[in-house]
Amino acid sequence: MDNKEIEQKLESKNVKPTAMRTLVYKTLAETGKALSLADLEQRFEKVERSTIFRALKTFEENFIVHPVDDGSGSVKYAVCDDECTCNIHDLHVHFYCTRCGRTRCMKELPIPNIKLPEGYTYDNAQFIINGVCPRCD
Amino acid sequence: MDNKEIEQKLESKNVKPTAMRTLVYKTLAETGKALSLADLEQRFEKVERSTIFRALKTFEENFIVHPVDDGSGSVKYAVCDDECTCNIHDLHVHFYCTRCGRTRCMKELPIPNIKLPEGYTYDNAQFIINGVCPRCD
DNA sequence: TTAAACTTTGCAATAGTGTTGCACTAACTT
DNA sequence: AAGTTAGTGCAACACTATTGCAAAGTTTAA
């Protein structure tokens, strides 16, 4: 994915494509995995933690990435599909490998429909499966 | 639930029922909700954070409580059913109310069976539903 | 084209959660 | 009762997430 494309992508979601944001997005997109703030920080030492943090927050607010709390202690972020608005229909299962610590979006597995008891309403969900991925098996 | 019962309960799970542990268990059982370390700390100011922390860890290791990471930033703990061994069959959905911040075990809703792609194995899962509970609606 | 206004970035500081080492005390063993 | 083991309290620390502020960069608009 080249920079032009990324810039267009960000603009289409009403986020000004600064150099830092483009870099953060590019890393997330190319890695194809959910990455934490610390993961990103390591990949480009020169960039400030808070800058990355704010980029992620901006992305999150504009449905460019979605957060995944896989229980590893830090929230990770993964790029959304184009049409994603992060509502209940866009949600999918995430797989957390307890060996390598990598988190993968299972976009092919939407979150199953749940019938809650009377009186409960919901608009979001997290479904994390913990196990061992093919690479670690 | 009186102290005798709690002591028996803990003993049946091979945990020595000290005063602190009994207190922590009692609070969790009576509240009937998932509580975080900070929640518990607030309820009895005199007890040390680390003591509660270690009680919870001990409980967790012995399948007396199960952890719930509801995305609120701190892990909560809820009492297990009697026969629970915290394996995949004992898992259930948790409901996190985004208004009041309370987390409830939906024991009546077991985690649905998921067919993962080839090569993945799993032994644990967290399914958190975020929304508004009847009390807050 | 230049000043004002706004946005983004870097830095430093802070709050909160989770966790551990160590010393003291309580409980259990023989 | 002395020795051993387990539990508790305290202090310290690591790490994640987050914010205020000032400097740098960008955009707007006279």
Side-chain angles (χ1 to χ4, degrees), chain A residues 16 18 20-21 48 50-51 54:
Chain A
K16 210 193 305 176
T18 66
M20 295 295 98
R21 287 174 183 166
E48 247 293 303
S50 59
T51 303
R54 287 188 265 226

Coordinates of all heavy atoms in Angstrom, one line a residue, chain A residues 16 18 20-21 48 50-51 54, chain C residues 7-14:
Chain A
K16 N -6.9 14.3 8.5 CA -5.8 14.9 7.7 C -4.6 14.0 7.7 O -4.2 13.6 8.8 CB -5.5 16.3 8.3 CG -5.0 17.2 7.3 CD -4.3 18.5 7.9 CE -5.2 19.2 8.9 NZ -4.5 20.3 9.5
T18 N -1.3 13.4 8.0 CA 0.1 13.9 8.3 C 1.1 12.8 8.2 O 0.7 11.7 8.0 CB 0.1 14.4 9.8 OG1 -0.1 13.3 10.7 CG2 -1.0 15.4 10.1
M20 N 3.1 11.5 10.3 CA 3.1 10.5 11.4 C 1.9 9.6 11.3 O 2.0 8.4 11.5 CB 3.0 11.3 12.8 CG 4.1 12.1 13.1 SD 5.6 11.1 13.4 CE 6.5 11.3 11.9
R21 N 0.7 10.2 10.9 CA -0.5 9.3 10.8 C -0.3 8.3 9.7 O -0.7 7.2 9.8 CB -1.7 10.2 10.6 CG -2.1 11.0 11.8 CD -3.2 12.0 11.5 NE -3.6 12.7 12.7 CZ -4.3 13.8 12.6 NH1 -4.7 14.3 11.4 NH2 -4.6 14.5 13.7
E48 N 7.3 10.0 19.1 CA 6.8 10.1 20.5 C 5.6 9.1 20.7 O 4.7 9.1 19.9 CB 6.3 11.5 20.7 CG 7.2 12.2 21.7 CD 7.0 11.6 23.1 OE1 5.9 11.5 23.6 OE2 8.1 11.2 23.6
S50 N 3.1 9.7 22.7 CA 1.9 10.5 22.7 C 1.4 10.8 21.3 O 0.2 10.8 21.1 CB 2.0 11.7 23.5 OG 3.0 12.6 23.0
T51 N 2.3 10.9 20.4 CA 1.9 11.2 19.0 C 1.2 10.0 18.4 O 0.1 10.1 17.8 CB 3.1 11.5 18.2 OG1 3.8 12.6 18.8 CG2 2.7 11.9 16.8
R54 N -2.2 9.6 20.1 CA -3.2 10.5 19.5 C -3.7 10.1 18.1 O -4.8 10.2 17.7 CB -2.8 11.9 19.7 CG -2.9 12.3 21.1 CD -2.6 13.8 21.3 NE -1.2 14.1 21.6 CZ -0.8 14.9 22.6 NH1 -1.6 15.5 23.4 NH2 0.5 15.0 22.8
Chain C
dT7 P -8.4 23.3 14.9 OP1 -9.5 22.6 14.3 OP2 -8.3 23.6 16.3 O5' -7.0 22.6 14.4 C5' -6.7 22.5 13.0 C4' -5.4 21.7 12.9 O4' -4.3 22.5 13.4 C3' -5.5 20.4 13.7 O3' -5.0 19.4 12.8 C2' -4.5 20.7 14.9 C1' -3.6 21.7 14.3 N1 -2.9 22.6 15.2 C2 -1.6 22.8 15.2 O2 -0.8 22.2 14.4 N3 -1.1 23.7 16.1 C4 -1.8 24.5 17.0 O4 -1.2 25.3 17.7 C5 -3.2 24.3 17.0 C7 -4.1 25.1 17.9 C6 -3.7 23.4 16.1
dT8 P -5.0 17.9 13.3 OP1 -5.2 17.1 12.1 OP2 -5.8 17.7 14.5 O5' -3.4 17.7 13.6 C5' -2.5 18.0 12.6 C4' -1.1 17.9 13.2 O4' -0.9 19.0 14.2 C3' -0.8 16.6 14.0 O3' 0.4 16.1 13.4 C2' -0.5 17.1 15.4 C1' -0.1 18.5 15.2 N1 -0.3 19.5 16.3 C2 0.8 20.2 16.8 O2 1.9 20.1 16.3 N3 0.6 21.1 17.8 C4 -0.7 21.3 18.4 O4 -0.8 22.1 19.3 C5 -1.8 20.5 17.9 C7 -3.1 20.7 18.5 C6 -1.5 19.7 16.9
dT9 P 1.0 14.7 13.8 OP1 1.6 14.1 12.6 OP2 0.0 14.0 14.6 O5' 2.1 15.2 14.8 C5' 3.2 16.0 14.3 C4' 4.1 16.4 15.4 O4' 3.4 17.3 16.3 C3' 4.7 15.2 16.3 O3' 6.1 15.2 16.1 C2' 4.2 15.6 17.7 C1' 3.9 17.1 17.6 N1 2.9 17.6 18.5 C2 3.2 18.7 19.3 O2 4.3 19.2 19.4 N3 2.1 19.1 20.1 C4 0.8 18.6 20.1 O4 0.0 19.1 20.8 C5 0.6 17.5 19.2 C7 -0.8 16.9 19.1 C6 1.6 17.1 18.4
dG10 P 6.9 14.1 16.7 OP1 8.1 13.9 15.9 OP2 6.1 12.9 17.1 O5' 7.4 14.7 18.1 C5' 8.2 15.9 18.0 C4' 8.6 16.4 19.4 O4' 7.4 16.9 20.1 C3' 9.1 15.3 20.4 O3' 10.3 15.8 21.0 C2' 8.0 15.0 21.4 C1' 7.3 16.4 21.4 N9 5.9 16.4 21.7 C8 4.9 15.5 21.1 N7 3.7 15.8 21.5 C5 3.9 16.9 22.4 C6 2.9 17.6 23.2 O6 1.7 17.4 23.2 N1 3.5 18.6 23.9 C2 4.8 18.9 23.9 N2 5.2 19.9 24.7 N3 5.7 18.2 23.2 C4 5.2 17.2 22.5
dC11 P 11.2 15.0 21.9 OP1 12.6 15.5 21.7 OP2 10.9 13.6 21.8 O5' 10.8 15.5 23.4 C5' 10.8 16.9 23.6 C4' 10.2 17.2 25.0 O4' 8.7 17.1 24.9 C3' 10.6 16.1 26.0 O3' 11.1 16.8 27.2 C2' 9.3 15.4 26.4 C1' 8.3 16.5 26.1 N1 6.9 16.0 25.8 C2 5.8 16.7 26.4 O2 6.0 17.7 27.1 N3 4.5 16.2 26.1 C4 4.4 15.2 25.3 N4 3.1 14.7 25.1 C5 5.5 14.4 24.7 C6 6.7 14.9 25.0
dA12 P 11.8 16.0 28.4 OP1 13.1 16.6 28.6 OP2 11.7 14.5 28.1 O5' 10.8 16.4 29.6 C5' 10.2 17.7 29.6 C4' 9.1 17.7 30.6 O4' 7.9 17.1 30.0 C3' 9.4 16.7 31.8 O3' 9.0 17.3 33.0 C2' 8.6 15.5 31.5 C1' 7.4 16.1 30.8 N9 6.7 15.1 29.9 C8 7.3 14.2 29.1 N7 6.4 13.5 28.4 C5 5.2 14.0 28.8 C6 3.8 13.7 28.4 N6 3.5 12.8 27.5 N1 2.9 14.5 29.0 C2 3.2 15.4 29.9 N3 4.4 15.8 30.3 C4 5.4 15.0 29.7
dA13 P 9.3 16.7 34.4 OP1 9.9 17.7 35.3 OP2 9.9 15.3 34.2 O5' 7.8 16.5 35.0 C5' 6.8 17.5 34.7 C4' 5.4 16.8 34.9 O4' 5.1 16.0 33.8 C3' 5.3 15.9 36.1 O3' 4.3 16.4 37.0 C2' 5.0 14.5 35.6 C1' 4.4 14.9 34.2 N9 4.6 13.8 33.2 C8 5.8 13.3 32.8 N7 5.7 12.4 31.9 C5 4.3 12.3 31.6 C6 3.5 11.5 30.8 N6 4.0 10.6 29.9 N1 2.1 11.7 30.8 C2 1.7 12.6 31.7 N3 2.3 13.4 32.5 C4 3.6 13.2 32.5
dT14 P 4.1 15.7 38.4 OP1 3.7 16.8 39.3 OP2 5.2 14.8 38.7 O5' 2.8 14.8 38.1 C5' 1.7 15.4 37.3 C4' 0.7 14.3 37.1 O4' 1.1 13.5 36.0 C3' 0.5 13.4 38.3 O3' -0.8 13.3 38.7 C2' 1.0 12.0 37.7 C1' 0.8 12.2 36.3 N1 1.6 11.3 35.4 C2 1.0 10.6 34.4 O2 -0.2 10.6 34.2 N3 1.8 9.8 33.6 C4 3.2 9.7 33.8 O4 3.8 9.0 33.0 C5 3.8 10.5 34.8 C7 5.3 10.5 35.0 C6 3.0 11.3 35.6

